[in-house]
Amino acid sequence: MKLLLSIYFFIIAIIQLGLLFGIYHYYRSQNLLRPNPYWMGSLLVSVLGLCIFGGGILTLNNIVKPDFNFTVANTLFVAAASLQALFCLSLNRPITKGLLRTFGISILLFGVVFEYFRLNGNFEIRTALVAFFYCLFYIWQIIELSKKRTQMPSSQLAYLQYASYGELFFALGRVVILVASTITITEMQQIPQTLILFTIAQLVMNTLSYIAIGGYWAEQIAKTNVQSTLENQEIKRLLAERETLISSLLRANKTASTGALSASIAHELNQPLGASSLNIQFLQKKLAAGELSPELQNEILNTLLADNQRAANVIRTLRSIFTDEKITTEKVDCGELIQTVLSIAKPELHAKNIQVVLRLEDSLYLSANRGELQQVVLNLVNNAIQALIPIERLDKQITIYGTHTDHGIEISVEDNGRGLSQEAEALLFELLSGTKKTGMGLGLWLCKHIITRYGGSIWFEVAPEGGAKFVFQLPTKLA
Ligand code: ADP
């Protein structure tokens, strides 16, 4: 009889342990939802209680006054039931620390009362006490489950509720059997068969309820999976939209820069084209007059070729900035890149009487997209020019620094203009924050976008003479 009973307990412990391992493993393979601590805790405590109880039956001598391990096992059973109730409560509202403390204290109190009855009471009182506590938790659990199911129908929670009804039925049944029994139980053999049956049935129901909770969490993980797939798609869509927006902004900014620099470009192209035209007229005149010596012919043709190359160079440089080429990275010499930008801005600088001072260290090499970097430097130079235009002073100056730092390369564009007002400074790199009538407040925002995309940073400083200084830093090995 003893052996058979303890085997029952061990079998149920093994089933619950298998469930615990299986579900824990499943949780670990997912990182969408964290395992519910109350449910896992309840299962663990229940397995411990079953093992101690099963072992206790094997060594039991006196059923009226069993060993201390029965207090431990029964307290663990009640703790497992209370954790399961807490799990059901956690479905409806967060569990506060105060509530947890109250639970802890009541479990301890139960342990003390049970210990008192172990020493001074009898089998019937103790069994009724445990069954009474079970009933309290099961009723509470059922109420919480009904609340949750009205808000969110779930087949697994329905199974859990049925299993809880079963647990409640068998726990109540145990109390009724004890009350109805006329004899006082002092021997193992006197325990009514129906009481044993109801106890085992309650444990089976309890195991079913753990399985239902496991099913509920699997259901939740499946739902979260579907949701996160949908969210992923949404994020991808938003990212694609963002890229489209940014490339249109890049294009818009290029157009803005083109507008601002179109005068310089026309000037730059007009010079070689005008010179060529004059040389061709001169050539025609000499040919008509028959005065073309081979030396003169050579000289004129060489000049024509040089002017042609000059115009071609201007066009090639502009094309690299203003076309929608695919973003590819290459080894870029920042010194040369700055010279290219200055050659575009040269007529404007000249017309506005602005000096450019270069303080560039050697070998400022980066691996980046040339067009994008040019756009950053061009924006900063263009902004400096715009800032210097309304200034009355004679020594208008832009200084460009290029240095190696511990992390990469730092380039700064400094002017001796009026600098920035505090409110303009606060919003500098924000989109559409410009104060110029012609500007769109796009340039610095885009500079920041390009630089940060390469893993670098860009910031503003007040220049020593009170003007503006824009500094950007890029890692040599770009992200
Ligand atoms: P935009 O030039 O299209 O207005 P930016 O983003 O390039 O947009 O610049 C934003 C604002 O920052 C400008 O309108 C100007 O007020 C200010 N700013 C930028 N560079 C300088 C500078 N070097 N000196 C003074 N103000 C500047």
Side-chain angles (χ1 to χ4, degrees):
M1 168 84 166
K2 269 191 194 177
L3 185 66
L4 198 67
L5 254 183
S6 73
I7 285 175
Y8 276 144
F9 278 87
F10 282 129
I11 288 177
I12 295 198
I14 288 168
I15 295 173
Q16 291 193 356
L17 193 66
L19 191 65
L20 182 69
F21 279 139
I23 303 232
Y24 182 68
H25 186 72
Y26 179 55
Y27 271 133
R28 290 206 45 192
S29 64
Q30 311 275 330
N31 40 17
L32 292 169
L33 276 184
R34 279 167 60 78
N36 184 289
Y38 305 112
W39 170 56
M40 300 289 268
S42 169
L43 200 47
L44 188 70
V45 170
S46 169
V47 170
L48 272 179
L50 285 167
C51 291
I52 297 174
F53 201 90
I57 294 175
L58 278 180
T59 52
L60 182 68
N61 289 323
N62 182 358
I63 197 169
V64 181
K65 198 175 170 191
D67 292 336
F68 178 65
N69 51 15
F70 277 84
T71 303
V72 177
N74 279 291
T75 311
L76 287 175
F77 287 147
V78 171
S82 76
L83 282 168
Q84 206 179 66
L86 276 178
F87 162 77
C88 295
L89 184 68
S90 75
L91 297 176
N92 293 317
R93 61 186 158 104
I95 308 290
T96 58
K97 282 210 174 110
L99 191 67
L100 274 181
R101 217 172 297 128
T102 318
F103 259 79
I105 293 170
S106 23
I107 303 297
L108 269 180
L109 271 180
F110 169 86
V112 172
V113 174
F114 190 94
E115 179 62 7
Y116 174 79
F117 284 123
R118 183 181 73 84
L119 298 172
N120 306 303
N122 57 29
F123 174 80
E124 287 85 347
I125 291 186
R126 287 191 300 270
T127 310
L129 179 74
V130 178
F132 170 74
F133 266 84
Y134 274 142
C135 291
L136 279 187
F137 288 125
Y138 294 150
I139 291 170
W140 186 18
Q141 189 164 315
I142 289 166
I143 294 172
E144 293 297 334
L145 285 172
S146 326
K147 260 195 226 163
K148 178 73 186 173
R149 284 184 56 217
T150 47
Q151 295 159 11
M152 193 196 81
S154 150
S155 53
Q156 299 300 325
L157 287 187
Y159 297 146
L160 176 59
Q161 202 174 346
Y162 302 146
S164 305
Y165 276 126
E167 285 178 292
L168 179 64
F169 172 78
F170 290 113
L172 274 175
R174 284 165 72 188
V175 179
V176 172
I177 294 166
L178 283 171
V179 172
S181 127
T182 44
I183 52 157
T184 309
I185 298 163
T186 52
E187 295 285 323
M188 201 62 168
Q189 282 69 18
Q190 290 174 313
I191 301 176
Q193 290 294 319
T194 42
L195 187 64
I196 295 176
L197 199 74
F198 269 56
T199 309
I200 302 289
Q202 189 193 331
L203 287 174
V204 171
M205 285 296 158
N206 184 239
T207 310
L208 287 180
S209 71
Y210 285 127
I211 293 174
I213 303 178
Y216 171 72
W217 280 96
E219 198 176 72
Q220 292 307 301
I221 288 174
K223 272 190 197 160
T224 318
N225 262 329
V226 172
Q227 208 174 331
S228 69
T229 315
L230 287 178
E231 273 165 12
N232 265 346
Q233 282 169 352
E234 181 64 9
I235 288 169
K236 272 194 196 141
R237 196 185 62 74
L238 287 176
L239 280 179
E241 223 167 70
R242 179 175 170 269
E243 278 307 311
T244 321
L245 177 69
I246 286 169
S247 60
S248 350
L249 287 175
L250 272 165
R251 227 172 295 129
N253 184 56
K254 282 174 186 175
T255 322
S257 312
T258 320
L261 289 165
S262 55
S264 344
I265 295 160
H267 179 82
E268 190 82 339
L269 278 175
N270 269 345
Q271 272 189 344
L273 291 178
S276 298
S277 165
L278 281 178
N279 273 323
I280 290 167
Q281 280 172 26
F282 183 68
L283 192 64
Q284 280 172 335
K285 217 165 110 188
K286 288 286 171 191
L287 268 175
E291 294 171 359
L292 196 63
S293 69
E295 293 78 38
L296 186 62
Q297 179 185 334
N298 228 4
E299 195 187 321
I300 297 173
L301 284 176
N302 279 343
T303 322
L304 275 175
L305 192 68
D307 283 335
N308 187 292
Q309 274 174 354
R310 222 170 112 196
N313 261 343
V314 174
I315 291 170
R316 203 174 311 121
T317 311
L318 292 173
R319 199 190 294 138
S320 69
I321 299 182
F322 298 117
T323 53
D324 276 330
E325 282 158 10
K326 219 170 157 258
I327 308 293
T328 48
T329 54
E330 61 192 287
K331 188 174 171 191
V332 177
D333 177 350
C334 292
E336 190 200 309
L337 182 137
I338 291 166
Q339 292 289 3
T340 309
V341 170
L342 290 178
S343 73
I344 300 168
K346 198 169 112 195
E348 185 83 354
L349 290 164
H350 196 70
K352 303 295 182 288
N353 206 13
I354 300 169
Q355 294 292 320
V356 176
V357 178
L358 291 181
R359 302 245 182 279
L360 305 176
E361 286 179 4
D362 287 338
S363 317
L364 293 168
Y365 292 117
L366 275 177
S367 154
N369 178 269
R370 202 183 162 78
E372 285 195 334
L373 270 195
Q374 266 176 348
Q375 210 180 341
V376 172
V377 180
L378 183 64
N379 269 328
L380 298 183
V381 170
N382 203 24
N383 276 350
I385 296 175
Q386 300 297 316
L388 287 170
I389 290 175
I391 303 282
E392 292 297 325
R393 61 195 292 172
L394 289 174
D395 60 338
K396 295 181 200 174
Q397 186 171 305
I398 296 177
T399 314
I400 304 182
Y401 300 87
T403 47
H404 293 273
T405 64
D406 289 347
H407 309 292
I409 282 170
E410 191 175 286
I411 309 278
S412 50
V413 178
E414 177 186 307
D415 62 65
N416 57 356
R418 287 204 194 95
L420 283 151
S421 67
Q422 269 189 344
E423 57 180 308
E425 195 183 323
L427 296 168
L428 255 191
F429 296 96
E430 301 286 315
L431 190 58
L432 308 179
S433 67
T435 58
K436 289 179 228 152
K437 288 200 182 84
T438 47
M440 298 164 75
L442 209 65
L444 289 175
W445 178 83
L446 269 172
C447 290
K448 188 172 177 184
H449 172 77
I450 292 171
I451 298 292
T452 45
R453 205 165 55 182
Y454 282 126
S457 49
I458 181 165
W459 66 93
F460 163 79
E461 284 175 14
V462 178
E465 285 189 54
K469 180 173 181 176
F470 286 88
V471 192
F472 68 86
Q473 205 174 49
L474 283 172
T476 322
K477 276 253 163 274
L478 294 178

